[in-house]
Amino acid sequence: MKKEENPKRAKGIMRKNNKDSQRLSQEMETIAEIGRIISSTLNIDEVYERFAQEAKKLIEFDRIAINIINQKENTLIIPYVWGTAVADFDSKTVIPFIGSATEEVFKTRSSLIIQTEDENELITRFPVYFPYFQAGLRSAMFIPLISQDEVIGSLALHSKKSNAYPDRDLKLAESIGYQIAGAIANAQLFLEHKQAEEALQKSEESARRLAQDNAIVAEVGRIISSTLEIDRVYELFAEEVRKVIPFDRISITVIDHEKGAFHNAYILGPDIPGRRLMEVVSLAGSFTEEIMRRRSSQLIQTEDEDEVAGRFPKLLPFWQRGFRSLMAVPLISQDQVIGVLHIYLLRSQAYKEADVRLAESIGYQIAGAIANAQLFLEHKRAQEALRESEWRFRVAAESASDLIWEWDIGKGEVIWFGNIDETLGYQSGEFPRTKEAWVNIIHPEDRERVMKAFDRHLKNRERYFQEYRVLRKDGTVAYWIGSGTAVHDQEGKPYRMVGSVTDITGRKKMEEELLRSKKLESIGFLSGGIAHDFNNLLTGIMGNISLARLSFHPGDKTLTYLENAENLCVRASELTKKLLTFSKGGTPIKKTVFIGDFLKETVRMPLSGSNVRCELNIPEDLWPVEIDEGQMRQVIYNIVINAREAMPGGGTINIVAENITHGPADRHSSKDGKYVRVSIKDHGVGIPQENLEKIFDPYFSTKEMGSQKGMGLGLAISHSIVKNHGGFITAESIVEKGSTFHVYLPASAREFVPEKEVAKKPLPTKGRVLVMDDDQVVRYIAEKFLKHLGYEVELAEDGKEAVGRFKKAQESKQPFDIVILDLIVPGGIGGKEVLKKLLEISPEIKAIAASGFSNDPILADFKRYGFKGVLAKPF
């Protein structure tokens, strides 16, 4: 019996190997594509959509969803859903976290399968999941999404079938889950590839053993087993059978158990309708099925047509063709009937039991030959599939954004699938393929942590997943996320490790830029509030100084002190302007200018009296720009001052303006388009590389506290101003060579028209003025000065009082000629809202906006809101 089992076992192994190889190839392609999709865009909605399409190729599901945990709110958000609709569980829906399947996944940090028809069980365990049950979904897998060792949500796959998901689907879903939160599935695919290779090697050994066994027992059927070409076997076999058993027709039927059908693989003799060569016939009710079921030979020899029709109706076509004797012998391999040998003769009662026994002996031989031939064919197909699988894997790995690696622990050799040399800045083949080379490129500060995690995985099989820095050949730093899985032998010892690394340097730079923006935003909110209160205080101080000056005669020495104090207040107001730059109240008041004239005028002051000169290169065809001249003057001033300080021994600053067009490849520009670039270059001490990326950070400064050189906020302020203008600023520097700052300003579509000087008219000295301000000191100063100038003045503390006084003045036929409205009144109605009410009463009213700080764009476009002018504090 052992001789019969070997061909069958080898055949089964090779068939399984062939299917596994094909399935493995498909899965590797799909999961590699998922990895490529995830790393190709920051648009998470696009990632979800394309990832779901790829996942469908691996796992059947009727609904797929991503669930994200909000631990603060104890809720779940469903950012993406595809498939069967579930009431109250659509995309973007917020649902309770407590009682959900995701909560279970969160607690256990492992996957969860729900497959039940018991409604009560479902309500008891996961009440939140009940609507899915009502929607007809009977099976679900919930896979944890883990990022930086924290469960952030789950991947949910649902099916309307009961018990739809076996363990294999769960493993595939977990692989996909790892792709969403990281990228380690490629390593698992490579591991399966190696396992398939080992299985193929075992199958080849089985095939060789089977061939050796057949060689021993095949002397009787030497001719039959002399070749693995099955068609040649059939021909030689038929010739040999004819020598010992006469026949008019002989055929070999091969059974396809999976499809429940059979076909004639070989025929020698007359054709029979419905039984032609390779014609597929259903097993159900056939004579072949009868032989397969009985697992024994049948001898039919009769002249009675009715007997044939009653016992074997499927054989009537043969009887009608004239055949009166039939032998059917089961072909058994590895304890399974793989086919039937049919021998027909036109004469009746032609065969004896001895012929049947001889046919069975020949059938045994032909069954082995068929098994060998099939095994050989499947072996060839498996080899071809494996070669194609290896080719597909290599193409997928080398084209993927991740770098896949394999480490032979015994030899210490590392194979990289992907361009590791180019990634690290080496020439092709220059980077050593050893573990030591990989360890040496890890940043010294991260090396111990990474290696400990590596060793823990090898010893304890803990998950290896680390984020770390590596050093390129030129010394620059790249950020990688690495993962890996060890392959163990039968004794549990690791002998190989496979994994992947993802370069996240670009993402890190984006995170740093976002952090810098957040810092600027936070200091902006703080500085805005300080500036508002400080400007009110300065208004009171400057106003009182000015009132005091009115009390002294010209020539009085006290006036000198008051003038000094007033000048100090002006300097203090300049500080608040810098603080306002960080807040939304620093909205630029733009006008269209030719930047060349502006630069020539601006660079004079910071270089006045120094040993540094400036050379300007400004073409006449520069595009116009829209800028707040005051704010942009501060930008140029700050950069030029830094350039001057970088050359204490003197030198030349080169300023070049030029037209620049940016496309989608430029990472700095917020959008594509035309820019005017102003480049300011010095030849000074330069900026160290470790400081270059921090120079626009408001919390970073190389200037000592209390230094006469200022607060060190100049570049941070410049960054905010340029950003508020829709532009961006960059810097490049080489130590001891100098630095260059590039300021990019969006080109304006408006035409630049030089302003004409307008003769100023004398101010009127009579009229009625209404002043609204929440600060008592500001109201006091405004009242004193306006009355000094000859105006009648009324004061209002908030918007409600201002509207009331305005209405009363209108009704008494003594309307106000001017109203001055503070834009921000804490706890009350601000100037913008008050003006709307006043315009309803009197559309002709003349209103002035007063502000020390505003987060509305009124200062930049006051006419749009109905104001006739702006009065900036302090005044």
Side-chain angles (χ1 to χ4, degrees):
M1 200 63 188
K2 182 176 181 181
K3 297 175 182 177
E4 297 177 355
E5 291 174 357
N6 285 334
K8 175 59 182 177
R9 184 179 299 109
K11 175 177 175 290
I13 291 174
M14 287 307 300
R15 178 176 296 172
K16 180 178 182 301
N17 180 69
N18 187 30
K19 294 178 181 178
D20 286 348
S21 179
Q22 293 174 350
R23 182 170 59 246
L24 177 62
S25 176
Q26 179 183 357
E27 290 172 0
M28 285 194 294
E29 284 187 76
T30 305
I31 293 179
E33 178 64 13
I34 290 174
R36 189 194 65 76
I37 290 170
I38 290 174
S39 60
S40 66
T41 178
L42 289 175
N43 187 333
I44 193 63
D45 293 330
E46 180 183 348
V47 168
Y48 289 150
E49 192 66 34
R50 294 174 63 191
F51 135 78
Q53 294 172 4
E54 295 299 321
K56 186 74 172 176
K57 298 177 182 178
L58 296 179
I59 303 173
E60 289 295 329
F61 54 79
D62 296 301
R63 175 184 170 93
I64 186 171
I66 302 291
N67 304 304
I68 302 299
I69 301 170
N70 185 335
Q71 295 189 43
K72 293 183 179 179
E73 302 293 336
N74 265 336
T75 58
L76 291 176
I77 181 71
I78 308 176
Y80 176 77
V81 172
W82 179 92
T84 302
V86 178
D88 300 325
F89 286 84
D90 295 330
S91 179
K92 310 304 182 185
T93 301
V94 178
I95 61 174
F97 174 56
I98 305 301
S100 68
T102 302
E103 182 193 22
E104 181 75 10
V105 169
F106 177 80
K107 291 179 178 178
T108 63
R109 297 175 65 85
S110 60
S111 301
L112 172 66
I113 294 183
I114 301 175
Q115 301 188 119
T116 180
E117 292 285 350
D118 190 338
E119 184 175 318
N120 293 327
E121 177 187 353
L122 191 66
I123 295 174
T124 301
R125 288 190 63 197
F126 305 108
V128 177
Y129 189 72
F130 185 64
Y132 290 81
F133 189 88
Q134 293 178 314
L137 299 169
R138 293 295 182 267
S139 299
M141 289 192 295
F142 291 86
I143 311 301
L145 301 181
I146 302 176
S147 177
Q148 296 183 351
D149 204 35
E150 180 182 359
V151 179
I152 62 172
S154 68
L155 166 65
L157 302 173
H158 306 267
S159 174
K160 292 182 179 180
K161 299 178 182 178
S162 298
N163 297 313
Y165 296 124
D167 289 343
R168 177 173 183 79
D169 287 348
L170 177 63
K171 296 302 181 185
L172 284 173
E174 288 176 341
S175 295
I176 295 172
Y178 291 146
Q179 285 281 19
I180 297 299
I184 64 170
N186 282 335
Q188 293 175 334
L189 288 175
F190 190 78
L191 175 61
E192 292 177 7
H193 159 72
K194 289 301 177 183
Q195 291 173 339
E197 184 181 38
E198 292 170 1
L200 178 61
Q201 292 172 352
K202 293 179 180 178
S203 298
E204 291 173 339
E205 293 173 2
S206 298
R208 285 193 292 270
R209 287 195 302 269
L210 180 60
Q212 292 171 357
D213 293 342
N214 285 336
I216 297 174
V217 299
E219 186 61 28
V220 175
R222 182 181 58 81
I223 297 177
I224 294 177
S225 59
S226 62
T227 177
L228 289 174
E229 293 293 334
I230 194 64
D231 293 333
R232 180 63 178 159
V233 167
Y234 290 150
E235 292 175 3
L236 295 175
F237 145 77
E239 293 174 3
E240 295 303 314
V241 170
R242 190 184 294 277
K243 294 177 181 179
V244 291
I245 301 176
F247 61 82
D248 296 305
R249 186 183 197 270
I250 188 170
S251 66
I252 296 175
T253 295
V254 177
I255 299 172
D256 188 332
H257 290 273
E258 292 183 359
K259 295 181 179 179
F262 66 89
H263 68 276
N264 285 322
Y266 176 76
I267 298 175
L268 179 61
D271 273 345
I272 303 296
R275 296 293 189 273
R276 293 181 176 88
L277 186 66
M278 304 307 292
E279 189 172 353
V280 178
V281 183
S282 173
L283 267 173
S286 67
F287 184 59
T288 298
E289 182 187 39
E290 179 75 8
I291 299 299
M292 184 182 70
R293 183 178 60 80
R294 291 189 178 190
R295 298 174 64 85
S296 62
S297 300
Q298 290 288 313
L299 176 59
I300 302 172
Q301 301 184 111
T302 180
E303 292 284 351
D304 189 344
E305 183 177 354
D306 293 334
E307 180 185 356
V308 174
R311 292 183 59 195
F312 309 107
K314 297 291 184 178
L315 291 179
L316 271 176
F318 295 88
W319 194 90
Q320 293 169 349
R321 185 67 176 79
F323 294 112
R324 295 296 182 263
S325 298
L326 163 65
M327 283 191 296
V329 177
L331 305 178
I332 300 175
S333 175
Q334 294 186 2
D335 202 35
Q336 183 181 37
V337 178
I338 63 171
V340 177
L341 168 62
H342 299 274
I343 301 176
Y344 306 86
L345 199 63
L346 294 173
R347 291 184 290 109
S348 63
Q349 304 298 321
Y351 298 129
K352 304 183 183 307
E353 285 297 326
D355 295 323
V356 175
R357 303 285 82 81
L358 181 58
E360 287 176 346
S361 177
I362 295 173
Y364 173 79
Q365 295 290 341
I366 192 62
I370 291 173
N372 276 342
Q374 288 179 336
L375 181 60
F376 179 73
L377 180 61
E378 290 174 2
H379 170 70
K380 289 173 63 178
R381 289 173 178 170
Q383 284 184 321
E384 292 171 0
L386 183 59
R387 283 195 294 269
E388 183 178 0
S389 171
E390 290 175 341
W391 176 80
R392 288 178 181 272
F393 173 80
R394 184 173 294 276
V395 170
E398 291 181 353
S399 62
S401 58
D402 292 349
L403 294 173
I404 302 172
W405 52 267
E406 176 189 359
W407 172 39
D408 187 319
I409 296 176
K411 296 181 180 179
E413 296 177 351
V414 178
I415 299 174
W416 290 90
F417 296 93
N419 201 335
I420 182 66
D421 300 282
E422 182 179 348
T423 301
L424 294 173
Y426 290 87
Q427 296 296 322
S428 179
E430 182 183 359
F431 184 69
R433 268 49 177 176
T434 62
K435 177 193 172 185
E436 289 71 21
W438 169 68
V439 172
N440 289 336
I441 65 170
I442 300 176
H443 195 286
E445 296 178 5
D446 299 341
R447 192 172 298 158
E448 182 179 359
R449 169 176 57 83
V450 173
M451 297 315 299
K452 284 184 177 179
F454 203 78
D455 292 339
R456 284 197 304 271
H457 175 74
L458 293 177
K459 294 178 181 177
N460 307 324
R461 302 194 184 187
E462 293 183 10
R463 180 175 179 234
Y464 171 64
F465 187 86
Q466 292 288 311
E467 178 179 324
Y468 55 92
R469 295 167 291 175
V470 296
L471 300 175
R472 297 190 181 100
K473 183 179 180 181
D474 61 4
T476 58
V477 175
Y479 291 84
W480 282 5
I481 290 180
S483 60
T485 300
V487 184
H488 297 78
D489 58 21
Q490 295 180 350
E491 297 178 358
K493 295 181 180 179
Y495 67 92
R496 184 170 294 161
M497 191 166 182
V498 291
S500 65
V501 293
T502 303
D503 193 324
I504 60 169
T505 307
R507 188 198 310 172
K508 279 290 184 181
K509 289 187 179 295
M510 292 180 65
E511 290 174 355
E512 291 171 1
E513 181 65 24
L514 179 61
L515 180 60
R516 181 183 292 116
S517 297
K518 290 294 184 183
K519 289 180 179 179
L520 291 175
E521 184 178 355
S522 64
I523 197 172
F525 284 122
L526 174 64
S527 62
I530 293 174
H532 175 267
D533 295 341
F534 193 43
N535 275 332
N536 279 342
L537 291 174
L538 284 177
T539 300
I541 296 170
M542 292 177 68
N544 279 289
I545 291 173
S546 298
L547 289 174
R549 289 177 60 187
L550 296 176
S551 302
F552 292 90
H553 297 290
D556 194 311
K557 293 182 179 181
T558 306
L559 287 175
T560 302
Y561 303 136
L562 294 175
E563 288 176 0
N564 290 338
E566 195 170 46
N567 290 334
L568 290 173
C569 288
V570 172
R571 290 179 60 185
S573 70
E574 291 297 322
L575 176 59
T576 63
K577 288 181 181 179
K578 293 182 180 180
L579 293 175
L580 278 171
T581 303
F582 287 108
S583 70
K584 294 181 180 179
T587 303
I589 304 174
K590 300 178 183 178
K591 68 176 183 178
T592 305
V593 302
F594 174 68
I595 197 69
D597 296 337
F598 171 80
L599 290 172
K600 293 175 184 177
E601 176 187 346
T602 301
V603 298
R604 290 196 191 102
M605 183 172 62
L607 298 181
S608 178
S610 72
N611 57 353
V612 175
R613 65 188 185 90
C614 180
E615 291 183 359
L616 291 98
N617 183 357
I618 301 172
E620 295 296 329
D621 62 347
L622 281 180
W623 295 321
V625 294
E626 294 180 37
I627 61 172
D628 181 316
E629 289 187 302
Q631 291 188 5
M632 198 53 60
R633 186 172 288 111
Q634 189 174 350
V635 172
I636 303 301
Y637 182 89
N638 287 338
I639 298 175
V640 171
I641 285 293
N642 280 352
R644 187 189 72 186
E645 293 176 353
M647 297 186 294
T652 301
I653 297 175
N654 300 101
I655 299 180
V656 178
E658 56 190 325
N659 297 327
I660 295 291
T661 300
H662 274 291
D666 185 79
R667 68 180 182 89
H668 296 290
S669 56
S670 56
K671 59 181 180 180
D672 306 338
K674 297 180 176 180
Y675 292 83
V676 174
R677 180 173 70 184
V678 178
S679 301
I680 303 174
K681 180 178 182 179
D682 65 63
H683 303 275
V685 296
I687 303 170
Q689 192 67 31
E690 62 269 19
N691 293 340
L692 191 59
E693 295 184 358
K694 307 174 186 177
I695 59 176
F696 298 115
D697 192 325
Y699 298 109
F700 175 77
S701 176
T702 58
K703 298 179 179 180
E704 298 179 359
M705 187 63 69
S707 168
Q708 294 298 317
K709 295 181 180 181
M711 298 169 59
L713 282 173
L715 291 179
I717 292 172
S718 300
H719 181 278
S720 292
I721 292 174
V722 175
K723 184 178 179 182
N724 287 341
H725 278 73
F728 56 96
I729 182 171
T730 65
E732 55 191 55
S733 183
I734 300 176
V735 175
E736 303 302 334
K737 296 286 186 180
S739 305
T740 303
F741 286 80
H742 301 287
V743 178
Y744 294 79
L745 298 173
S748 174
R750 299 180 183 178
E751 184 178 354
F752 168 64
V753 179
E755 294 183 353
K756 296 181 180 180
E757 291 189 6
V758 180
K760 295 183 178 180
K761 298 179 181 179
L763 293 173
T765 56
K766 291 183 180 181
R768 286 173 49 77
V769 181
L770 173 62
V771 178
M772 182 198 80
D773 199 292
D774 64 301
D775 192 288
Q776 181 181 359
V777 174
V778 175
R779 294 198 303 273
Y780 172 80
I781 295 300
E783 180 183 25
K784 290 296 184 182
F785 269 107
L786 288 170
K787 285 184 176 180
H788 177 75
L789 293 173
Y791 294 94
E792 296 180 32
V793 183
E794 288 192 27
L795 305 175
E797 184 176 356
D798 54 29
K800 182 178 180 181
E801 184 180 357
V803 174
R805 288 184 177 276
F806 191 86
K807 285 182 178 179
K808 185 176 179 181
Q810 290 291 109
E811 293 168 355
S812 63
K813 306 300 182 182
Q814 293 182 324
F816 291 105
D817 298 287
I818 297 287
V819 292
I820 301 174
L821 303 174
D822 189 13
L823 288 179
I824 295 180
V825 179
I829 303 174
K832 182 175 72 172
E833 291 76 16
V834 171
L835 181 57
K836 289 180 182 179
K837 296 180 182 295
L838 299 187
L839 289 172
E840 293 175 0
I841 301 171
S842 175
E844 302 300 324
I845 185 65
K846 296 181 178 67
I848 295 175
S851 177
F853 171 74
S854 170
N855 57 9
D856 281 323
I858 294 175
L859 294 179
D861 196 6
F862 60 87
K863 291 182 180 180
R864 176 184 172 189
Y865 298 91
F867 290 98
K868 303 299 183 182
V870 172
L871 185 60
K873 296 178 183 179
F875 51 76

